Structure formats: structure tokens, C-alpha cells
Amino acid sequence: MNIEALLEWVDDFAAVVITTETPDTECLAQSRAILVKIQEEISEGVLPEIEKRLSVCIAVIDKLHHQDEAAKESEFQSLLPYLAEIQNLLRKGKASNRISLSSDTEEEHAVDDDADEESDHFQLPEYVDQEVYKEFLSNFGHVLEEIEQDILLLEKGSASAKADLKRKIHTLKGEAGVLSLDDVEMVCHAVEDLLGENLPARTTTDLLLETVDWMRRAGKRYADFQYPEPRGDYQIAQLKNRNSDATDSPALISETEATYGVVQVSQANEPSADDLSVKDSGNDVIHVNWDEETVTLVGEFLEESEEGLSHADQILMNIDHSGMEPEKVNALFRTFHTIKGVSGFLELAEITKLAHTTETMLDQVREGKYALEGPVLDLVFDSTELMRRMLKAVRAAVENGGAIQKEFGLNAQIHKLNEVIKGRMPEADELLEVAPGEKLGQILLKSNVPPSVIDAALKAQVESGRPLGEELVAQGNVKPKEVSQALRAQRISAESASVKIKETVKVDLERVDRLVEMIGELVIVESMVVHADEIASLASLKVRTYLSQLEKITRDLQDTGMRMRMVPVRGVFQKMARMVRDLARKSGKSVRMVTAGEGTEMDRSMVEQVTDPLVHMIRNAVDHAIESAEVRKAAGKQLEGSVTLSAYHEGGSIVIEIADDGKGLDRDAIVDKAIRQGMIAGGDQLTDSEIFKLIFAPGFSTAAKVTEISGRGVGMDVVKRNIESMRGRISIESEKGRGTTFKLILPLTLAIIDGMLVSCGSEKYIVPTLSIVESLQVSPAMVNSFAEKGELINVRGEIFPLIRMAQLFEIEDGSPASTDGLVVVIEGVGKKVALFVDDVLTQQQVVIKSLGNGIQKTPFISGGAIMSDGTVGLILNVEEIAALVDKRSNKKLENAINATGIRTQTTANAPVSGALNLKREAAMHQVQKENTL
Amino acid sequence: MSSAGMESAHAEKRAEEILSSGARLAGKYMTFKLADEEYGLEILKVREIIGLMDITRVPKTAGYIRGVINLRGKVIPVVDLRLKFGMARTENTDQTVIIVVQYSNENSDYTMGILVDEVLEVLNIDSGQIEPPPSFGGTIESEFILGIGKSDKRVIFLLDIGRVLTEGDASGLSSLVEA
């Protein structure tokens, strides 16, 4: 049997279906016969896809025999989509010549095996220029990022994203083809095919994202001149297999189930069907017999309900702007609930049913099972619209007397609602293509709203002051759903527009760095010139004006230079959004990712550095912090968890905030664990923030079981170290059961640091302002010396180890033993120490410079900076200085002092951190000495 | 430890290497003075000569590292060559200069300043004027020396500056301990 003939049969049958309005028994029998015949021809598991559809069709026809005319007509027509699918499958099979061979999957494997035998080494054809190849690969990652973004937009139902995506994939395909990257080219082609079909959005995006991942890996392999692993064939097979899977489930199965469902219901309850349409078959009216009192009640009901619906529409239209707030969903819920109650009492069964189903769906939204957006939102609009029509029919019946005209579409609507309630999301309507910046009126014009209507609304708007959308709805000329969809289309285009608008030039990063460096030099020379004594003594007003102008331009130049290295955090945030999506999918949790402030700019190199910590923290949030749906339900929370990632400027810093609404940190569990590990003493009174900081301690996380500290702390020491290496800080706020907020406070750029200039003897050092807790004048009474080796300082009851800079740095003209000076309390790696200096001079911004690789190790110094006098200033490495102090011995010591009340000299031989470290250092030197000898 | 034998063997091997590549060593050298001794640097490794400027001491580093200076916006370390060679430290004079050298070692570029007593001249030394470095019995100096140049009865130690500055780190540690 050849495919041509099969195709012909299917075509013929489809023609019959189309032309037959209401099939009679004979027609049905014939149809069944054709289908069975086709089924026989292609039997024996060769084409499982087609078989499946054929059986569905036959089942539908079998049921039809027992049904009434109306049902017969609609059900019969419902065969068409299946027939179309069968035709498609047959045609595809014909094209690939596969149909008479084994099943698709086996063939795919065969290809796969072939690929494995080939060498992994990828040879660039001679006609391809290496430079072009490299250029393509270096750009490849960027292109994939854009594609990924489009995919995520596509999932939200943006039509323009789809077009964009197609275009980008096509370009990629072309480029890959030129460079003979056949695997990528073929995969792109398969993706194009996939985009051409109309699959459920979620399945498509899953496949697409996987493919992007594959391409990313492929790019890396190609960079090493190797073929991708697995090869392109494999990925195409994935796409195709899953592609057909996707058509089976859930779309097809749900439809078949639904078909059976409806059929069975009508069979079982034939005489007293649950919807009125069946009961009054062939009769489109419901006869009512109301007494006067009831009529009054009905009148009131209609009034109230219509008012409620208008309110509901208004809420629905505004949901897209301001997001879904629980009160709004509650208000919607209440509207339908009231209608349900009263209509039930009035025995308006159809209305009750619609209200009930809509209410059930809204309840699920309230529980957070899914968001009220896109197609779900449209569905609620449909419900209000239908409800309004039904109410109108009731009103007509009351006013004119007689029967209530039935509304069509009730069954369909209820069916759609039920689908959602069962967890199957409807397809999003394709939103209109909207150019960025288009006004609502313009968009509506495109969707066939007559200009006169919009003009009228615009005029009325002047008086009422309402937004155009609300005005149009109030006039009753445009459906609220249309307005809402137009608004959504407008928003999506604005979102994608904000990304595209900027034009950029690619510049070698080294050049930018060189420029920034040179600007730095210019700034210093400028300041040297301006502050030179000879110039300062000049009385010329002219020179001064020029100089101040020069100064201003230099500052601006410095500013611009710095900004050249800045990039928005958008890229990282997108990566995180993708990760949350994947993690949530994997863990079976429902998690909503909210991002804010993606446009906030950060130093380029920091963006890279901050990615790792973010990955850790986001993974923690989704994996551990967000509870499973059951637990959340029990705790009375929204079923859908949320992770919010936001970035903003605060003072001279950038703050990145990761907030979840999960279970929060368990304060007591952390304290328990810390006591057991000997990090803190049992009697310690610690503040929340001190306790939460314990989770950053290395080793703490690994030892604590996930359950004991709510899972938080996995890799947290890594996070902390990463952030500190960027000279940033982390703060934690957490409430048990309510969620946790991590704040990463980072400097604007790695190149510049806010520093406090301190002096000791004739030397000057820069202390990073970010790590300074406070600085204060010392009185001799505050200083306690310990065995004449270590010293402690008591600052308002808090005791810190005291480190004398003169001693630490062996500054000859520093005053080592004096108590007359200033103390700067610094904090690093969670430890506070007091640094004794002669004076605190000034605060200033400095550009950090490496001390050059000629110097191998500079303990306690993290870098240098050119000072305004042209000399080099050294920047203290606060972490290293703080690490001098062993936290545990420090704690013990503090406890000892607190317990005995000894506040001054003591000869107890408790280990003193300072002394300990001196000893350790001496020991280390000894070892080094031995090594070098 | 019987390292002396090994070291001298090593030195001999080096001497052979240098002899065989004697022609390679011929060329222009910048000569300078430390105390009464004359040294030469391959001219290609010298970037510039700058007068003495304020040097910021970097604490806790090897004694021969005088500190860091600002070379037109770039921070570079300065090594006191006298201290590096274990000679006595002297007061700076108006002849004291910093020679900025640039060299590559294991794929990274180094720019450093070396503090010397006095810069003399740029000398052209032929391969015939160059002799292999003598063995000082395993002292560090012979490691640092490419060869010995002779010019008008003057003896000039031709320095392998990369070696002087990089390998010094080990001895740098020991001097840190002694400091």
C-alpha cells in the first residue's frame, strides 16, 4: 500500500466531513468503514502516531450514533483536526521516505551510532577564514543569549518574540552553513520546523531551551575544533521525537479525554443532563414561571451582578499593569461567588454553573497554583462576557415575560475552565504585532475597532479623565478582553523595545582598560598641576578659571571612562530567571521569578564575579527555601513560591537583593549547630544578624543537614568569599516561615574604592571605607594588655583585639606603645578588630592599582593607589588583618573577661589571639627558613 | 647536603650553554655601577632611566624591595640591587637612579625598577670580548651572570636580569626571615 493512496483516502474522507452538516447513520457507518480500512492498511506499529489518531476518530464516530443532532454536528466536525494531523504525518513520512521502514526512533538511533564512530575532530574547511570562524564563535554566545530571551518571551505569549526568534534562528542557520558548521545548521533547521508548527507553548519552549543549551555546548566544542557532543543528529532527534510526543500529550490526549468525557456524560445522564442545553434539546429557551416577589429579587440580582461584572472587568484590565495582588483576585472571586449564591437560590442553573466553574478556577489562582495572566486572564474575560450576555437574556425574559433565550458557548466556556482547573493551560491567543511606542488607540484600530468608536471615546475621555481602555469599555463598544489584550501586546513590545533601542560598538576590552588607565593618569597629573605650589601662588583669576574648567572636564572624563566598563545586570538576571524556571521544573515546585532593576549597571568584571554567588543563592532559594506545595498550603501561603531578584543603587553601592518567600532561616537550629561546633558559647546573647552570619562559616554548612538549618548554607562560605573578594558585604534578613532576604552590597566598580587615609608615623595607608565599622579616640582605660603581648580594647562593652599598625608594619617612626591616637574598628571575614593608628586624615576615592607582578607577596596589602601628590599609597587588606585574630580564642577570652569581671591587667594564661599569632608566625618563619636552607 | 657538587655541575653546564651561544650575547649593554663594580644590562630589556623619586615602602616584603613607585600611573616595584646582592646599603646620592627594566618570564611580562648607584654608558660588546661566568663556588651571583664582558681593561658583569629579579624570590624569603 503506498502512501499516495492513503493520503487520497484521508483527503476524500476529510471532504466528506467538511460537506456533511449533520451526519446520518449511513454516513457515519461509511466514515467508520473508511477509517478502519486506513487503519488496517498501516497496521502493526509502524506508524503509532497515525494509529493513535485513527482510533480516536473511530471512537468518536462510535459514540456519535447515540447522540442528538446538535451534538452530532459539532462532534463530527471535531474530527477535522485529527484528519489534518494524519495528513501531515503521512506527508512527512513520505518526504523522509521512512514510512515503510522501521519506526522513527530506531532510525534515529542508527544515525546516532554512525556519528559516534566518526572522529571528534572538527576540520575547518580551507575556504573558511579562521578569523571569521573565531569571530562567529565569540559572538555565538551572545546570539544564544538573545535567542534565549526571545524564547522566554515567547512562553509569555509574545507574537513579536516568535517572529524575532525565527529571524535569529534563520540568520544563525545561514552563518553556520557558510562556516560549514553542519550540525548547528541542521539543528537550526529543525528548530525552524518546530517553530512553524503550533505546539503548546510550554513544550515548545522546553525543547527550544534545551536546544539552546546544546548549541552553547556545541559552540564550546567548536572553539576547540571538535564536533559537538552529542552530535547535531541527536539533538534533531530530540526535537523530532519530543515534537511528536508533544502532539500526543498533553494536547491530543487531553482532547480525546475531553471528547470521551463529554460523550460519556451525555450518555449517562441523558434524560436529566447537567446542563440545560441538553435537557431542552432542540429548544433554545428556558421557560420560567416567577411570581412577583421572585421577579423583584431577580431584578435586584441582575442589578447587583451587572455592577459586579463591570467591577470585575475593571480589575481584570488593571491586573496587567500592577501585577496580581491577592486582594484583587479575592474581589474577583467574591463577585462570582455572590452571583453563584444568588443565582442558585433563584434556580438559574446555567448562571450558577458558569459562576461556580469560574469561581473554582479563581480559587486556584488565589492559592497560587497559576498566575492570572495571558490565556487564563482571557478566560476570565470570556466568563464575564458570557455571564453578562446570560444576565441580559434573563432581564429580557423578566421584562417581556416569557422564556429565557439560551446563550450559546456556555459548554465550551465551561469546558475551557475545567481544563485549566485540571491543570492544563490553554494556548495563548496570538497577541497583535505592536511596534514599540504605539498608543492603545492605534493598536485597537488594528484589531478592527472602528475609528469612530475610538474618537468618541477619546472625546469622552477628556471629560471623564478615565484611561482610554476603561472609557471604551464603559461606552460598551469594545470588549474588555480586547482592551486587555491590546494593553498586553503594548507592554510586551515595550519590554522588548527597551532592549533593542541602544546602539553599541564592540571595542576590545584591553583598549577600554587602557583608556581608563590613561584617564586615571590624567586625573592624577591634573590634580598635581592644580595643587602645585607655584600655581597656587598665582593670583591670576584667568588661570584659576581655566584650571577649574580643566578640573571639571577631567572629572567628567573619569566618570565617562568608568561608565564604559559598566554593563546592565540584565544578562545575569536572565540567566537566573532561566535557572529558576529549570530548577522549579525539576523539583516539581511552582516558583515565580520576579526581577526588578535589570537596567542597573555594574562593572563588567563584577557582573562575571557576581554570577557564581547568585547561582548558589538562587539554587538554595528554590531547592531548599521554597517549600513544596503541600507544605505551603498547610502554612496558609500561596501555592506558588516566589523568588525576587532586584538590583538598585544605594549610596555609593550597588545592592543586589535575593528575596524568597520560603521557610526562612531557623534561628534556633543554627544556634544549636554553632554551639555544637564550638563556634559560639551556650550563654552568648547574639543578635539575629550575628546568628545568620554563622551560616557563612566554612564547614558549618557541610556538617549541618539540610533539614537542620533549612538547607541554607550550602556553599554559603563560597558566596561570602566571592562577595568579599569584590569588597562587598552581605546582609541577611529572615523570618522563620516567611522567607529570607539576602542583600549583596557591592561597590560600583572594582577599579575605584572609597578609602580612609590613615597615617602612622611618616607612612600613610588607605583603609577601604566599606570595611570600617567606626573610628574613635582611645583613652588609656579602654586598652587592656594581656600578658604584655596581646592587647584588647573595650568599646562600649564590645571587646576587640587591638592591632597596632606601627608594630604590624614595623614602622620605625610610629609610636608603638602609645595610647594617644585613634582606633579604626575594621571588619573582615566576619571578625572585627581595632587598628591603632596615629591619625585619620581624610576620606577619598582612589583608583586601585596592582603593585606589579614583580612583587610576589604583600601580606596585609591588597593593592596600591596613586595619591594626589603622585606617590603611591597602599591599600590595606582588611580580611587578612582580621584573619590574624582567631575568632574562637577571641571569644573564649571575651567570655573569660566577662565571667570574672576582670577589666584590667590579668596574668591568666588563656591564649591571646595576638600572642598566638605572633607565635604561629614565628613558627612559620622557622619552617620557611628550614626550607630555604 | 652535597649540593655544592651539583651546583658546580650545573654552573659548568650553564657555561657551556653560554659559550655555544656566545654570539647571542654580543650586543649593546647598558652599564652601571654598584660600589666599584661595573655591571651590564641587555639594552633591549631597559625601558628607561628615571631619577630617584619618592618610593613607598611596602611592609612585610623582602628587604631588597625598596617599595613601589608611580611610573606615569602604573605602579611598579623597585629593587635595591645592592641589597639584592647582599652588599651594604648606602645613602642615596644625586647619581642614584632607577633603571626601569622590562622582561618576560613564563608568559608574563614584568616591569620593575632597579636602584643602582650610577649609570655609566651604553657599550657595544663583541662576542670575542665575552667570557663565560666564572664559578664562585656555588654562590648566587654566578647564577645571575650571563657572562663577563671585557672592554678597555674594565670588567663588566653582564646580568641576566630576569633571573636576578625572579629567582630572587627564594632568597627574598630568606632575607625576610632574617630581617
Side-chain angles (χ1 to χ4, degrees), chain A residues 394-422:
Chain A
V394 174
R395 183 179 289 274
V398 172
E399 279 169 3
N400 307 334
I404 302 172
Q405 286 290 324
K406 271 202 324 134
E407 278 302 325
F408 291 107
L410 177 63
N411 284 347
Q413 174 68 10
I414 286 177
H415 173 63
K416 278 189 204 161
L417 288 169
N418 275 327
E419 282 292 288
V420 174
I421 291 165
K422 283 184 212 150

Short mmCIF file of all heavy atoms in Angstrom, two decimals, chain A residues 394-422:
data_model
loop_
_atom_site.label_atom_id
_atom_site.label_comp_id
_atom_site.label_asym_id
_atom_site.label_seq_id
_atom_site.Cartn_x
_atom_site.Cartn_y
_atom_site.Cartn_z
N VAL A 394 -31.78 36.97 30.80
CA VAL A 394 -32.71 36.86 31.93
C VAL A 394 -33.54 38.13 32.06
O VAL A 394 -34.75 38.12 32.24
CB VAL A 394 -31.94 36.58 33.24
CG1 VAL A 394 -32.88 36.60 34.42
CG2 VAL A 394 -31.21 35.25 33.16
N ARG A 395 -32.82 39.26 31.90
CA ARG A 395 -33.52 40.53 32.01
C ARG A 395 -34.61 40.64 30.95
O ARG A 395 -35.75 41.05 31.23
CB ARG A 395 -32.52 41.68 31.83
CG ARG A 395 -33.12 43.07 31.99
CD ARG A 395 -32.05 44.13 31.82
NE ARG A 395 -31.12 44.17 32.94
CZ ARG A 395 -31.37 44.89 34.05
NH1 ARG A 395 -32.45 45.59 34.17
NH2 ARG A 395 -30.50 44.89 35.03
N ALA A 396 -34.27 40.24 29.72
CA ALA A 396 -35.25 40.29 28.64
C ALA A 396 -36.47 39.45 28.99
O ALA A 396 -37.62 39.86 28.77
CB ALA A 396 -34.61 39.79 27.35
N ALA A 397 -36.19 38.29 29.57
CA ALA A 397 -37.29 37.40 29.90
C ALA A 397 -38.18 38.03 30.97
O ALA A 397 -39.40 37.96 30.92
CB ALA A 397 -36.74 36.06 30.40
N VAL A 398 -37.55 38.68 31.93
CA VAL A 398 -38.33 39.30 33.01
C VAL A 398 -39.15 40.45 32.46
O VAL A 398 -40.33 40.60 32.74
CB VAL A 398 -37.39 39.78 34.13
CG1 VAL A 398 -38.15 40.60 35.14
CG2 VAL A 398 -36.70 38.61 34.79
N GLU A 399 -38.50 41.27 31.64
CA GLU A 399 -39.18 42.47 31.18
C GLU A 399 -40.31 42.14 30.19
O GLU A 399 -41.38 42.72 30.26
CB GLU A 399 -38.16 43.42 30.53
CG GLU A 399 -37.41 44.22 31.60
CD GLU A 399 -36.23 44.97 31.02
OE1 GLU A 399 -36.03 44.93 29.80
OE2 GLU A 399 -35.49 45.59 31.83
N ASN A 400 -40.02 41.23 29.26
CA ASN A 400 -41.01 40.94 28.23
C ASN A 400 -41.93 39.80 28.60
O ASN A 400 -42.84 39.47 27.86
CB ASN A 400 -40.33 40.60 26.90
CG ASN A 400 -39.32 41.67 26.51
OD1 ASN A 400 -39.48 42.83 26.92
ND2 ASN A 400 -38.31 41.28 25.78
N GLY A 401 -41.58 39.19 29.69
CA GLY A 401 -42.33 37.99 30.01
C GLY A 401 -41.88 36.88 29.09
O GLY A 401 -41.23 37.09 28.09
N GLY A 402 -42.16 35.70 29.47
CA GLY A 402 -41.82 34.60 28.58
C GLY A 402 -40.53 33.92 28.98
O GLY A 402 -40.09 34.02 30.11
N ALA A 403 -39.94 33.27 27.96
CA ALA A 403 -38.83 32.37 28.26
C ALA A 403 -37.49 33.09 28.17
O ALA A 403 -37.38 34.16 27.56
CB ALA A 403 -38.84 31.21 27.29
N ILE A 404 -36.49 32.47 28.77
CA ILE A 404 -35.13 33.00 28.71
C ILE A 404 -34.43 32.41 27.49
O ILE A 404 -34.39 31.19 27.32
CB ILE A 404 -34.33 32.61 29.97
CG1 ILE A 404 -35.03 33.11 31.23
CG2 ILE A 404 -32.91 33.16 29.88
CD1 ILE A 404 -34.41 32.62 32.51
N GLN A 405 -33.93 33.28 26.65
CA GLN A 405 -33.19 32.80 25.48
C GLN A 405 -31.87 32.21 25.96
O GLN A 405 -31.17 32.81 26.76
CB GLN A 405 -32.91 33.96 24.52
CG GLN A 405 -34.10 34.42 23.74
CD GLN A 405 -34.52 33.39 22.70
OE1 GLN A 405 -33.67 32.73 22.10
NE2 GLN A 405 -35.83 33.23 22.51
N LYS A 406 -31.56 31.03 25.45
CA LYS A 406 -30.31 30.41 25.88
C LYS A 406 -29.13 31.07 25.18
O LYS A 406 -29.23 31.49 24.04
CB LYS A 406 -30.32 28.92 25.57
CG LYS A 406 -30.90 28.17 26.72
CD LYS A 406 -30.49 26.72 26.74
CE LYS A 406 -30.37 26.13 25.37
NZ LYS A 406 -29.18 25.37 25.21
N GLU A 407 -27.98 31.09 25.88
CA GLU A 407 -26.75 31.61 25.29
C GLU A 407 -25.91 30.45 24.79
O GLU A 407 -25.71 29.46 25.49
CB GLU A 407 -25.96 32.40 26.33
CG GLU A 407 -26.45 33.81 26.52
CD GLU A 407 -26.42 34.62 25.24
OE1 GLU A 407 -25.50 34.41 24.42
OE2 GLU A 407 -27.33 35.45 25.04
N PHE A 408 -25.40 30.58 23.58
CA PHE A 408 -24.50 29.54 23.08
C PHE A 408 -23.11 29.74 23.68
O PHE A 408 -22.77 30.82 24.13
CB PHE A 408 -24.43 29.58 21.56
CG PHE A 408 -25.72 29.15 20.95
CD1 PHE A 408 -26.58 30.05 20.34
CD2 PHE A 408 -26.10 27.80 21.03
CE1 PHE A 408 -27.77 29.65 19.80
CE2 PHE A 408 -27.30 27.41 20.48
CZ PHE A 408 -28.16 28.34 19.87
N GLY A 409 -22.33 28.72 23.64
CA GLY A 409 -20.93 28.85 24.07
C GLY A 409 -20.73 28.55 25.54
O GLY A 409 -19.60 28.57 26.02
N LEU A 410 -21.82 28.28 26.25
CA LEU A 410 -21.65 28.01 27.68
C LEU A 410 -20.82 26.75 27.89
O LEU A 410 -19.86 26.73 28.66
CB LEU A 410 -23.01 27.87 28.36
CG LEU A 410 -22.95 27.51 29.84
CD1 LEU A 410 -22.27 28.60 30.64
CD2 LEU A 410 -24.32 27.22 30.40
N ASN A 411 -21.22 25.70 27.17
CA ASN A 411 -20.50 24.43 27.33
C ASN A 411 -19.02 24.59 27.03
O ASN A 411 -18.16 24.12 27.76
CB ASN A 411 -21.07 23.37 26.40
CG ASN A 411 -22.38 22.84 26.95
OD1 ASN A 411 -22.70 23.10 28.11
ND2 ASN A 411 -23.12 22.15 26.12
N ALA A 412 -18.76 25.28 25.92
CA ALA A 412 -17.38 25.46 25.51
C ALA A 412 -16.59 26.19 26.60
O ALA A 412 -15.48 25.80 26.96
CB ALA A 412 -17.32 26.25 24.21
N GLN A 413 -17.21 27.23 27.12
CA GLN A 413 -16.52 28.03 28.14
C GLN A 413 -16.25 27.19 29.38
O GLN A 413 -15.16 27.21 29.94
CB GLN A 413 -17.37 29.27 28.47
CG GLN A 413 -16.85 30.11 29.62
CD GLN A 413 -15.53 30.79 29.27
OE1 GLN A 413 -15.10 30.80 28.12
NE2 GLN A 413 -14.88 31.33 30.28
N ILE A 414 -17.28 26.43 29.79
CA ILE A 414 -17.11 25.62 30.99
C ILE A 414 -16.05 24.55 30.76
O ILE A 414 -15.22 24.27 31.63
CB ILE A 414 -18.46 25.01 31.41
CG1 ILE A 414 -19.29 26.14 32.04
CG2 ILE A 414 -18.27 23.88 32.41
CD1 ILE A 414 -20.65 25.75 32.45
N HIS A 415 -16.04 24.04 29.56
CA HIS A 415 -15.04 23.05 29.23
C HIS A 415 -13.64 23.64 29.34
O HIS A 415 -12.74 23.06 29.96
CB HIS A 415 -15.28 22.55 27.80
CG HIS A 415 -14.20 21.65 27.29
ND1 HIS A 415 -13.92 20.45 27.89
CD2 HIS A 415 -13.33 21.81 26.28
CE1 HIS A 415 -12.91 19.89 27.25
NE2 HIS A 415 -12.54 20.69 26.27
N LYS A 416 -13.49 24.85 28.79
CA LYS A 416 -12.18 25.50 28.85
C LYS A 416 -11.76 25.74 30.29
O LYS A 416 -10.62 25.50 30.68
CB LYS A 416 -12.23 26.85 28.13
CG LYS A 416 -12.08 26.75 26.63
CD LYS A 416 -11.93 28.15 26.06
CE LYS A 416 -12.36 28.22 24.61
NZ LYS A 416 -12.66 29.59 24.20
N LEU A 417 -12.71 26.22 31.09
CA LEU A 417 -12.40 26.49 32.50
C LEU A 417 -11.97 25.20 33.20
O LEU A 417 -11.00 25.18 33.97
CB LEU A 417 -13.61 27.10 33.21
CG LEU A 417 -13.94 28.54 32.83
CD1 LEU A 417 -15.32 28.91 33.38
CD2 LEU A 417 -12.90 29.50 33.35
N ASN A 418 -12.70 24.12 32.91
CA ASN A 418 -12.38 22.86 33.56
C ASN A 418 -10.99 22.36 33.20
O ASN A 418 -10.29 21.80 34.02
CB ASN A 418 -13.42 21.79 33.19
CG ASN A 418 -14.63 21.90 34.12
OD1 ASN A 418 -14.48 22.25 35.29
ND2 ASN A 418 -15.80 21.62 33.58
N GLU A 419 -10.63 22.60 31.95
CA GLU A 419 -9.29 22.21 31.51
C GLU A 419 -8.24 22.88 32.39
O GLU A 419 -7.30 22.24 32.86
CB GLU A 419 -9.07 22.65 30.05
CG GLU A 419 -9.73 21.75 29.04
CD GLU A 419 -9.09 20.39 29.01
OE1 GLU A 419 -7.98 20.27 28.52
OE2 GLU A 419 -9.74 19.44 29.52
N VAL A 420 -8.43 24.19 32.59
CA VAL A 420 -7.48 24.94 33.39
C VAL A 420 -7.47 24.41 34.82
O VAL A 420 -6.43 24.24 35.45
CB VAL A 420 -7.81 26.44 33.37
CG1 VAL A 420 -6.91 27.20 34.31
CG2 VAL A 420 -7.67 26.98 31.95
N ILE A 421 -8.69 24.12 35.31
CA ILE A 421 -8.78 23.63 36.69
C ILE A 421 -8.05 22.31 36.83
O ILE A 421 -7.40 22.04 37.84
CB ILE A 421 -10.27 23.49 37.10
CG1 ILE A 421 -10.89 24.90 37.22
CG2 ILE A 421 -10.40 22.73 38.42
CD1 ILE A 421 -12.38 24.91 37.26
N LYS A 422 -8.09 21.52 35.77
CA LYS A 422 -7.37 20.25 35.82
C LYS A 422 -5.88 20.45 35.60
O LYS A 422 -5.12 19.49 35.57
CB LYS A 422 -7.91 19.31 34.73
CG LYS A 422 -9.23 18.67 35.09
CD LYS A 422 -9.64 17.68 34.01
CE LYS A 422 -11.15 17.61 33.88
NZ LYS A 422 -11.52 17.28 32.51
#
